[in-house]
Amino acid sequence: MLQPITAKELEYIADSLSNEDLLMKQNALLAASASNQALRQIGQQMLHTHQQHYQTLMQSFQQHQSMAPTQPQH
């Protein structure tokens, strides 16, 4: 059974999602625009890695979101 996490922890997950989204965009751009084949491959590999991270974080966020307290804890 999942244990509730704090609102602060949910904020951390949300921030991490934003960071992974930015990294996905940057690596997609690298994969699409690099003239060097090795750089394109690295961009594609890193894009895939950050997509996996994003999905993992999103699943965690969705699983715990309904369990988060609505009021700050003291």
Side-chain angles (χ1 to χ4, degrees), residues 12-37:
Y12 177 74
I13 293 172
D15 287 346
S16 296
L17 283 166
S18 293
N19 292 338
E20 290 298 332
D21 185 58
L22 176 61
L23 290 166
M24 286 187 302
K25 289 174 184 174
Q26 290 173 334
N27 282 288
L29 180 62
L30 175 63
S33 64
S35 58
N36 181 303
Q37 177 63 27

